[in-house]
Amino acid sequence: MSGARAAAAGVGGTPAPRPHDAGADGGPTPGGPTPGSPASPGTATARDRDSDALAPALERVLADGRRRDRLRHVEQLPARPGVRVDWPAWADPEVVAALERGTRGLPWRHQAVAAEHVWAGRSVVLSAGTASGKSLAFQLPVLTALRRTAEATGRGATALYLSPTKALAADQEARLRALRLPGLEAATYDGDTPPEVRRWIRSHAQLVLTNVDMLHRSVLPGHEHWSSFLRRLRYVVVDECHSYRGVFGCHASAVLRRLRRLAARYGADPVFVLASATVAEPATTARRLTGVDVVAVTEDASQRPAVSVALWEPPLRTLPPAAAVPPPDPQDPWAPVDLPAQEPPVEEARDQRRTATAEAADLLADLVVGGVRALAFVRSRTGAESVAAGARRRLAEVSPELAQQVAAYRGGYLPEERRELEEALRSGRVRGLATTRALELGVDVAGLDAVLVAGWPGTRASFWQQIGRAGRRGSPALGVFVSRDDPLDTYLVNHPEALFGVPVEAAVLDPDNPYVLAPHLCAAAQELPLTEPDLELFGPAAAEVVELLVGRGMLRRRSTGWYWTRRDRAVDLTDLRGAGGTVRIVEAGTARVLGTVDVASADSTVHRGAVHVHQGRSYVVDELDLEEQLAVVHPETPEHTTHARSDSDVRVLAVDGTRRAGPVTLSSGVVEVTSQVTGFLRRRVGTGQVLGEEPLDLPQRRLRTRAVWWTLEPSAADAALADSTDPDDPRPPSHRLPGALHAAEHAAIGLLPLLATCDRWDLGGLSTALHPDTGLPTVFVHDAVPGGAGFSDRGHDRLVPWLRATVEAVRSCPCASGCPACVQSPKCGNGNEPLDKAGAVAVLDVVLAALGSPRSAAHGVPAVPAA
């Protein structure tokens, strides 16, 4: 019986009851413990979980007895009563009445405290849990000010609301319209806004909901058309401010400084209001992002229901050699439902964990059968499509009507598709939704009972944002982290102390990144000639970068400042998201646009011959035209998936720091990474059997970025590998060294996100037994973005705890020769060859011993402290 059928039968032949209301004094922490707080009480492990009262939704998925061994840990986050206070005396009565209709009560204390700061003219950052009502904290003072100034002057003050996603801005606009405040003109201004509506917004809107991309490309370059709005600009709201990290955060920081500069040009000095459920060091992060001093409000006084957070590890199954396996039975509940290209299997027989996406599809189907409304967060677009398709297939065995209540939601859909899915989820027409991070942020999806997180989302901040989507009705809620066969996932699911009771990661944000700063200084000069005081606004690196731009002929200095020298638009020099634009995916014959992918990933995902999945349907790419940024596809359901192969090289350009410790040398600095997709493998669906390899003719990509690397004296490496030699492996140590370094590189990349605010897709690496720039065996780990984002620097600063966790994860993995849970990488361009698991442990032990941290004892190592 499939998981869905078992769930349909329920206990005693009846469906499990729906979760009951928590009552007046219940209250959750779906956003996770307050950053820096101790672990919540009531923790249950796999050994004692049967003695604890589990969330009804968790009891449902455990009704299938085969699953109980998959539950590794349950963390009980207790209900929390809220603390309400009176409305401020200065608040507009109509605004108060409108907000009371939506909140059904007085404000929580943290909302009132933040609103008082904003009303007093102080910039503020509010860091409170998911679903704690952060919107009210800025709506109350902003809407009061907009209404009062409009009554007094006729036009009144204006405000900008900035969100990291279109979905969040659209959701906020819907909330504002639901308030039905007379005289309030609020409108969304984004890439989907028609030209005639844009003109109306510039002339009439008091509150404009937009994003930093539109500020960069439209509002700031055309500031003359926005002069009236900017002159009256009083507030700038930056919602979900933790999203502005890495290179995107650097871009956003520069855009906000350009906004402040132009607002000052028109006589305005706006108050900044920032909000996030999951931001470490909120005041520091907010200051780096905006350049202004802020007051931090970190209390969360809201009421929340209890949440059970389960750590779930899919089961092992033994796969025979791929060539001996027939194509999978589509009715087999053990058949993989995700694309093996995401987690490429090996060719020989071994124990392999069931994929997180296959497991999530079953769990999502069971929850929908039980009347539980649930989101399943999946890391990739293809994974989201796969989970939705797998859940629908399992539900169809029970009821075709139930199968229609599951859908996928991801980036790349057309705007009208996204809005329709959001409304279907709110209304309950869709009860199970598989989504990428597109629904992670504060879109109002009230009424969810459970959230599945299929694969570690990259950071604790993202994890708590996703778990926080559950429990919005006041009922006991469920969050389940389903681990992938990945080093970090495996580490976390077996080390709950590294996840619970520790603060979220500090946002890595470097506003002085010259690769980011240079195009924004060009854009600022085109908007208004740069002056000496402007350079102070953009930070200490700005003066040097301006001189470089002058030397390249992009800026020209005059007595009144620096001027842009070209006829083209300076804003076209950069893409804030770091993707370099998008490639449209068009169906041949109908010319229908199916969606988009980033240019940066197009070479490996929509190359000629690639299999592409959209809304559960498979397509094969006929042609990729990079110049036209177009991929042409036709519908087809092949019996294979595709996996790109690539070559890469790293060249050291500058060394910032070096530390020598015996046979080990640790360095950091600037490198140039050259990469090229050279071909792709076709693998049989379900078995992973390689059916063939085809070459591709795609251009080389060059990336100048930052890296950390360590070298090892050959004699020390040979000695370590000789000690770890398998009696059945006759190869000399020198022949094992490439595989040992390669495996160590993969594992290190997989574990660095434990310390830095990134995931493995933000990183790259290279290992070699003899690197031309070092003359030694070398392992590089580099940021995968131009100029670097601080991730590898974080690894350099905390190398010992990073590599200690890495060697622990590899050593404790039960596999014999290496698997995706320890040393295999889902994005390896060499097909995970060669890899030597035992050799990786030996090499990492030598590095740690040289750095003063000898190999751990049999009982393991301490949990890695939070970033």
Side-chain angles (χ1 to χ4, degrees):
M1 184 185 299
S2 76
R5 285 177 174 170
V11 179
T14 59
R18 293 294 300 271
H20 60 275
D21 290 337
D25 55 356
T29 313
T34 300
S37 68
S40 301
T43 299
T45 66
R47 294 184 298 277
D48 61 13
R49 62 178 180 270
D50 292 331
S51 64
D52 292 280
L54 302 179
L58 183 56
E59 292 284 13
R60 164 160 292 282
V61 299
L62 291 174
D64 182 346
R66 296 178 303 171
R67 291 178 171 164
R68 288 193 170 263
D69 287 341
R70 307 177 196 182
L71 186 60
R72 293 287 175 262
H73 178 88
V74 178
E75 190 84 3
Q76 301 287 5
L77 305 181
R80 184 182 67 218
V83 179
R84 295 192 181 274
V85 296
D86 291 333
W87 293 97
W90 49 259
D92 183 295
E94 290 201 48
V95 172
V96 167
L99 293 174
E100 274 191 324
R101 288 195 299 269
T103 61
R104 299 185 179 90
L106 296 170
W108 304 116
R109 185 167 57 200
H110 65 277
Q111 294 173 324
V113 170
E116 288 284 1
H117 283 301
V118 176
W119 186 252
R122 292 184 286 267
S123 291
V124 67
V125 56
L126 173 58
S127 177
T130 307
S132 62
K134 292 182 293 296
S135 294
L136 184 145
F138 55 75
Q139 287 173 350
L140 180 62
V142 170
L143 297 180
T144 295
L146 297 188
R147 282 177 50 80
R148 287 193 178 165
T149 56
E151 291 172 357
T153 65
R155 299 201 66 182
T158 60
L160 273 173
Y161 169 88
L162 304 177
S163 72
T165 66
K166 291 180 181 179
L168 181 53
D171 182 74
Q172 280 288 337
E173 183 184 12
R175 294 188 199 184
L176 290 169
R177 293 194 183 284
L179 296 177
R180 301 190 299 277
L181 282 172
L184 175 65
E185 299 292 353
T188 297
Y189 185 89
D190 60 23
D192 301 329
T193 307
E196 61 276 12
V197 178
R198 294 187 184 194
R199 288 191 292 271
W200 183 91
I201 291 173
R202 288 197 299 265
S203 301
H204 301 286
Q206 298 163 280
L207 176 56
V208 173
L209 301 99
T210 186
N211 49 63
V212 293
D213 308 79
M214 289 301 289
L215 281 184
H216 167 66
R217 301 197 65 85
S218 180
V219 175
L220 301 182
H223 61 89
E224 298 92 345
H225 302 294
W226 288 86
S227 59
S228 176
F229 183 92
L230 292 173
R231 186 175 295 111
R232 297 176 288 128
L233 183 61
R234 185 162 171 180
Y235 299 104
V236 177
V237 178
V238 184
D239 207 355
E240 304 292 0
C241 64
H242 71 277
S243 301
Y244 302 98
R245 62 177 178 85
V247 171
F248 178 52
C250 298
H251 281 299
S253 177
V255 171
L256 292 179
R257 283 161 172 77
R258 286 164 52 199
L259 171 64
R260 289 175 52 209
R261 175 174 177 260
L262 290 175
R265 163 67 173 79
Y266 291 104
D269 183 16
V271 172
F272 279 80
V273 189
L274 300 96
S276 172
T278 49
V279 59
E281 303 173 0
T284 300
T285 300
R287 278 195 297 268
R288 292 175 69 81
L289 183 61
T290 63
V292 301
D293 289 332
V294 297
V295 177
V297 176
T298 57
E299 178 193 29
D300 186 344
S302 63
Q303 175 185 351
R304 301 294 181 81
V307 182
S308 297
V309 183
L311 304 185
W312 188 280
E313 189 170 35
L316 286 168
R317 55 176 180 164
T318 300
L319 295 181
V325 182
D329 179 356
Q331 302 302 317
D332 177 11
W334 281 90
V337 294
D338 67 341
L339 296 180
Q342 298 296 318
E343 300 175 68
V346 296
E347 294 297 323
E348 68 271 10
R350 71 169 186 89
D351 286 342
Q352 176 178 306
R353 290 209 179 272
R354 195 179 189 220
T355 63
T357 44
E359 195 80 351
D362 268 2
L363 294 174
L364 183 61
D366 289 356
L367 292 171
V368 170
V369 166
V372 177
R373 294 172 66 175
L375 275 181
F377 284 100
V378 192
R379 289 173 54 87
S380 68
R381 294 180 176 188
T382 52
E385 297 281 3
S386 181
V387 168
R392 283 195 295 262
R393 185 166 65 244
R394 285 152 176 75
L395 287 168
E397 301 172 8
V398 179
S399 164
E401 181 181 344
L402 285 176
Q404 299 305 311
Q405 295 181 16
V406 173
Y409 181 104
R410 60 171 176 80
Y413 284 0
L414 299 177
E416 54 269 26
E417 291 181 289
R418 295 197 300 269
R419 299 294 91 80
E420 182 179 351
L421 284 167
E422 290 160 17
E423 178 54 36
L425 183 62
R426 291 190 191 98
S427 67
R429 286 186 290 114
V430 168
R431 306 193 72 85
L433 194 66
T435 178
T436 59
R437 291 182 60 184
L439 280 181
E440 176 181 308
L441 303 179
V443 177
D444 184 7
V445 285
L448 294 177
D449 304 301
V451 164
L452 308 175
V453 180
W456 181 243
T459 65
R460 295 184 192 91
S462 288
F463 175 76
W464 288 117
Q465 284 284 150
Q466 293 178 6
I467 293 295
R469 298 294 95 188
R472 293 192 168 217
R473 288 188 299 187
S475 304
L478 172 66
V480 182
F481 167 46
V482 184
S483 67
R484 294 176 304 147
D485 234 358
D486 174 89
L488 182 53
D489 288 46
T490 303
Y491 184 90
L492 288 171
V493 83
N494 290 294
H495 293 80
E497 70 278 6
L499 178 57
F500 299 106
V502 294
V504 296
E505 306 86 348
V508 179
L509 171 63
D510 179 15
D512 296 327
N513 183 328
Y515 290 89
V516 172
L517 198 53
H520 287 285
L521 289 172
C522 291
Q526 188 174 33
E527 290 155 5
L528 201 67
L530 283 169
T531 64
E532 291 283 355
D534 292 334
L535 299 188
E536 295 177 13
L537 174 67
F538 286 98
E544 183 178 352
V545 174
V546 162
E547 292 307 316
L548 289 173
L549 293 171
V550 170
R552 294 178 183 175
M554 303 177 78
L555 295 182
R556 180 178 296 115
R557 182 161 194 178
R558 293 286 183 261
S559 59
T560 53
W562 288 271
Y563 289 76
W564 174 243
T565 61
R566 301 183 180 182
R567 293 183 178 274
D568 51 340
R569 283 166 39 103
V571 293
D572 294 333
L573 293 174
T574 190
D575 185 319
L576 301 195
R577 307 282 173 165
T582 57
V583 170
R584 290 171 297 143
I585 303 170
V586 177
E587 185 178 23
T590 66
R592 182 167 65 102
V593 177
L594 299 179
T596 61
V597 296
D598 296 337
V599 167
S601 61
D603 289 5
S604 57
T605 58
V606 289
H607 54 75
R608 174 185 50 81
V611 177
H612 175 74
V613 180
H614 180 82
Q615 282 287 28
R617 294 192 62 189
S618 295
Y619 298 82
V620 173
V621 180
D622 298 318
E623 178 188 3
L624 171 61
D625 188 331
L626 291 172
E627 187 173 331
E628 296 294 329
Q629 296 188 330
L630 184 71
V632 180
V633 303
H634 70 270
E636 184 180 338
T637 307
E639 295 184 355
H640 67 268
T641 61
T642 51
H643 180 68
R645 302 292 299 268
S646 62
D647 290 335
S648 62
D649 187 30
V650 174
R651 185 164 63 97
V652 176
L653 300 181
V655 180
D656 293 343
T658 298
R659 173 187 171 192
R660 182 71 182 267
V664 175
T665 300
L666 170 66
S667 304
S668 65
V670 180
V671 298
E672 182 179 71
V673 182
T674 304
S675 61
Q676 182 179 25
V677 174
T678 58
F680 67 95
L681 296 176
R682 290 182 291 110
R683 294 182 180 269
R684 188 182 299 279
V685 172
T687 70
Q689 178 186 2
V690 176
L691 303 176
E693 181 174 0
E694 295 188 27
L696 292 170
D697 182 20
L698 290 167
Q700 277 192 342
R701 307 285 186 183
R702 295 186 182 275
L703 172 70
R704 184 171 294 201
T705 187
R706 293 194 59 80
V708 56
W709 62 94
W710 63 90
T711 63
L712 187 61
E713 294 292 340
S715 58
D718 287 349
L721 293 173
D723 290 342
S724 69
T725 297
D726 185 335
D728 297 327
D729 188 346
R731 294 177 300 160
S734 60
H735 288 194
R736 294 180 58 202
L737 185 56
L741 296 174
H742 193 198
E745 171 217 331
H746 280 185
I749 289 173
L751 268 294
L752 182 53
L754 198 60
L755 299 172
T757 315
C758 66
D759 64 27
R760 72 184 308 155
W761 300 95
D762 294 322
L763 303 165
L766 179 80
S767 57
T768 175
L770 180 63
H771 192 272
D773 292 335
T774 66
L776 293 168
T778 308
V779 173
F780 290 90
V781 175
H782 63 79
D783 296 355
V785 291
F791 308 137
S792 61
D793 289 330
R794 186 73 168 170
H796 176 268
D797 294 341
R798 308 199 64 203
L799 186 78
V800 169
W802 170 26
L803 294 189
R804 194 189 304 140
T806 300
V807 75
E808 150 98 0
V810 177
R811 181 181 282 117
S812 63
C813 185
C815 72
S817 58
C819 69
C822 57
V823 298
Q824 290 188 1
S825 169
K827 60 175 191 170
C828 180
N830 295 318
N832 285 298
E833 290 292 341
L835 292 175
D836 186 329
K837 174 185 176 180
V841 171
V843 166
L844 289 169
D845 276 340
V846 170
V847 175
L848 284 169
L851 295 172
S853 178
R855 66 174 291 170
S856 58
H859 63 271
V861 298
V864 174

